[in-house]
Amino acid sequence: MGASKPTPCPRAHTLANPMPESRLDIDHWWRHPNLRTLNLLLLIPLLSIFSQGFDGSMMNGLQSVTHWQNYFGTPKGATLGFFNAAYPLGGVAGVFLISPVADGYGRRMGLALGAAFCCIGAALQGGSINIAMFVIARVIIGAGSVIVAGVGAPYITEIAHPAQRSTATALFLTFYSVGSIVAAWCTFGTFRIDGTASWRIPSSLQGFPSVIQLLLVWFVPESPRWLVSKGRSEEALAVLAKYHGEGDENDAVVQFEYAEIQSVLGAEQSFSKLNLFSFFRELATGPGNRKRLFIMVWAAICSQMSGNACVSYYLSPILTSVGLTSDLQQTLINATSQMLSWGSAVYFATLPAKLGRRTLFLSSLCAMWVIFICITAASAMFAQSHANKAAAYTVVVFLYLFSPAYNLGFNGNLGLYIPEILPFHLRTKGLSFFYFVQFCFMILSTFAVPIGLESIQWRFYLVFVVWIIVELIGVYFMFPETKGPTLEDIAYIFDGPNTKYSGELEAGGDEVKVEHIHAELK
């Protein structure tokens, strides 16, 4: 791929027709009963990332709650890092259940399993009587959270109307911010309670969205792609017709989707029994898959090692370092910053379809780099003179701005990009691998950040100032643009015209070359 701009698709796509225009009024989708129902039901898998957002914000808030600090012996440094690292540690274990359940028993069953883990973990967390019980509960929640996240992203991608797929999938990670807001205001509202209820209430509420998922996921339609992969093609066509064609099986979009899914999954049939070893062997085979492998690893690293752990889990010690020490100040800043984060995440979820995925990744990293430079400089000035309130407030302002900068590229955009670069038979296994790498680096960042902040104070931020430049270089040279093509057609961007993952659609035996992907990627 060239350094100056995204490389367009390397070939003229061979299809009977590009995606036809939908006869439905997509701009006013609520006027169509079945499409309206589908989009409302999408809220169930959209809740899948809620628990992860809740966790970081809750732990931020609890560090500002005196009763939590006293109950667990005021954890600092490595001990505090262990508290927070227990969550991604559970996530590392949970990734191994994503593909066997979601591919073997369906997306709904996978979502239900993860939600059940989260419910159990939240109950134990709220009722914890010692450090060990609290940590074990966080391990269980971490396992459940990664399962629902690993299933929820491809689930949305596979059932959303094709005209709304990019926005629907991008909205997925915005619910991270919804969870963060709920947790932040919950800890703000309970920190005044004189007793352990000040931390037990938010700890228990972490399981509330999982209860909703566990009860309502059975009303969400199963993935048509999963149904076809299990030989249940008639059911798949019925789902597509009901929700994408308002009951009309002959709808042009429905027929296009159905034919393309049949063609692609038929070509992928020989890969459907991939085990763990053959999955990694395939990822290492061919330049296209090796590029997918690099992107998944690099995106996972960027999503966890860009300094976001500082804001997500350790806002309290950062605020303390610039003189903001009261429970009220810290919980209020946490709550209001999460609202800004959510607002930006929702708006930015509409941008991948307009501006492109790669553009947002690069813009996000540039913005975070500038913000960390400003935080570092202001923190150094405050360290020289604690009377310098302007420096302290500057740190707070840029802490507020960090989440929107991160959300620009690594919220909805990331949630869309990873599922869509993977062909169907690699999708849940690939996401499992992505979350495995992501949670490994989450363990590293959540454990290392409090130690770094305690040992070298503001100088620790310089690590991120340098490292974000390295991340930016990797994205600039290796991440292709995927804006434009259908979900099945993205394989051509990575594998070229001879991809083994796609079949050819024919009309009357005549193949017609169309340049729509090539043109849209320019």
Side-chain angles (χ1 to χ4, degrees):
M1 168 179 156
S4 59
K5 63 179 180 179
T7 301
C9 183
R11 64 94 171 89
H13 186 199
T14 303
L15 288 176
N17 288 292
M19 174 70 76
E21 289 290 330
S22 175
R23 65 177 180 80
L24 306 182
D25 184 1
I26 300 300
D27 291 335
H28 302 91
W29 54 265
W30 53 87
R31 296 175 180 173
H32 304 287
N34 292 344
L35 184 56
R36 180 173 65 241
T37 299
L38 173 64
N39 286 342
L40 291 176
L41 288 174
L42 282 176
L43 290 171
I44 306 305
L46 280 170
L47 284 173
S48 298
I49 205 73
F50 182 102
S51 184
Q52 289 189 28
F54 192 102
D55 188 78
S57 182
M58 181 193 73
M59 291 304 296
N60 253 337
L62 292 185
Q63 291 171 60
S64 303
V65 176
T66 301
H67 284 289
W68 184 85
Q69 292 279 3
N70 294 338
Y71 195 90
F72 292 108
T74 315
K76 294 181 180 179
T79 303
L80 181 59
F82 181 67
F83 258 97
N84 287 324
Y87 178 84
L89 183 63
V92 168
V95 296
F96 295 102
L97 294 174
I98 297 173
S99 182
V101 178
D103 287 342
Y105 300 97
R107 307 316 196 208
R108 289 188 297 191
M109 186 61 72
L111 210 63
L113 176 67
F117 271 100
C118 289
C119 291
I120 294 170
L124 292 174
Q125 185 173 253
S128 294
I129 57 175
N130 52 42
I131 290 178
M133 188 172 176
F134 193 86
V135 169
I136 290 172
R138 290 181 53 70
V139 170
I140 295 173
I141 294 174
S145 295
V146 78
I147 293 171
V148 293
V151 176
Y155 195 10
I156 294 168
T157 298
E158 292 168 5
I159 66 174
H161 191 284
Q164 299 176 323
R165 174 178 58 84
S166 61
T167 300
T169 309
L171 281 171
F172 176 70
L173 283 182
T174 67
F175 277 74
Y176 182 100
S177 297
V178 176
S180 298
I181 290 173
V182 173
W185 283 108
C186 185
T187 53
F188 177 75
T190 61
F191 85 89
R192 298 176 181 81
I193 298 175
D194 187 15
T196 60
S198 60
W199 61 266
R200 292 190 189 277
I201 290 174
S203 296
S204 301
L205 282 176
Q206 188 166 1
F208 180 68
S210 299
V211 173
I212 296 175
Q213 286 187 307
L214 196 57
L215 293 175
L216 300 182
V217 69
W218 314 108
F219 296 97
V220 184
E222 186 55 88
S223 163
R225 290 166 176 82
W226 181 82
L227 291 171
V228 170
S229 74
K230 296 301 179 182
R232 296 159 62 179
S233 298
E234 291 185 3
E235 294 177 57
L237 179 58
V239 170
L240 292 171
K242 179 178 180 179
Y243 293 105
H244 295 181
E246 289 299 308
D248 181 9
E249 288 188 359
N250 296 316
D251 179 88
V253 171
V254 170
Q255 285 298 314
F256 182 93
E257 283 189 281
Y258 183 63
E260 191 168 52
I261 291 169
Q262 290 274 22
S263 174
V264 172
L265 295 193
E268 293 185 17
Q269 193 64 40
S270 60
F271 306 104
S272 61
K273 302 298 183 183
L274 283 175
N275 57 36
L276 185 62
F277 298 105
S278 57
F279 164 72
F280 283 112
R281 185 169 61 249
E282 182 171 354
L283 274 184
T285 303
N289 277 342
R290 286 193 290 271
K291 191 167 190 175
R292 289 184 177 98
L293 177 61
F294 176 86
I295 288 173
M296 285 190 288
V297 172
W298 200 248
I301 292 173
C302 293
S303 71
Q304 296 304 317
M305 302 300 291
S306 300
N308 44 304
C310 296
V311 180
S312 297
Y313 281 92
Y314 301 108
L315 186 62
S316 177
I318 292 176
L319 293 176
T320 299
S321 72
V322 292
L324 301 172
T325 58
S326 75
D327 291 6
L328 176 62
Q329 286 175 320
Q330 293 189 0
T331 55
L332 184 60
I333 290 173
N334 185 35
T336 52
S337 66
Q338 296 302 338
M339 293 183 68
L340 176 62
S341 177
W342 176 74
S344 65
V346 171
Y347 173 69
F348 292 154
T350 67
L351 298 183
K354 301 174 183 177
L355 303 180
R357 287 58 154 162
R358 182 177 182 270
T359 299
L360 295 181
F361 282 130
L362 294 172
S363 300
S364 176
L365 288 169
C366 289
M368 287 189 286
W369 181 66
V370 171
I371 286 171
F372 256 109
I373 290 175
C374 295
I375 290 176
T376 304
S379 297
M381 293 172 64
F382 183 83
Q384 290 179 343
S385 173
H386 287 359
N388 191 341
K389 297 299 181 182
Y393 295 144
T394 299
V395 171
V396 173
V397 168
F398 282 100
L399 286 173
Y400 270 96
L401 292 176
F402 181 86
S403 289
Y406 179 89
N407 291 341
L408 180 62
F410 293 92
N411 193 286
N413 190 50
L414 180 63
L416 168 64
Y417 194 70
I418 299 302
E420 72 179 7
I421 68 171
L422 295 165
F424 175 82
H425 76 285
L426 293 177
R427 193 162 294 142
T428 56
K429 291 183 178 68
L431 277 169
S432 299
F433 173 72
F434 170 77
Y435 281 117
F436 176 81
V437 178
Q438 187 181 56
F439 273 68
C440 284
F441 279 96
M442 189 187 296
I443 292 172
L444 174 62
S445 61
T446 53
F447 187 76
V449 165
I451 298 174
L453 290 174
E454 187 178 39
S455 300
I456 56 177
Q457 289 98 39
W458 64 267
R459 297 173 185 84
F460 184 67
Y461 304 140
L462 292 171
V463 173
F464 301 110
V465 173
V466 175
W467 176 247
I468 289 174
I469 296 176
V470 179
E471 293 179 342
L472 186 65
I473 293 171
V475 171
Y476 186 77
F477 283 101
M478 294 301 295
F479 281 42
E481 182 57 73
T482 56
K483 174 191 171 188
T486 65
L487 190 58
E488 277 70 32
D489 292 334
I490 289 173
Y492 286 98
I493 298 175
F494 288 85
D495 304 300
N498 298 317
T499 173
K500 57 188 174 181
Y501 300 142
S502 294
E504 292 179 345
L505 302 178
E506 299 181 358
D510 294 325
E511 295 179 349
V512 182
K513 290 184 178 180
V514 294
E515 302 281 352
H516 70 289
I517 293 179
H518 192 113
E520 287 177 351
L521 289 173
K522 285 184 176 179

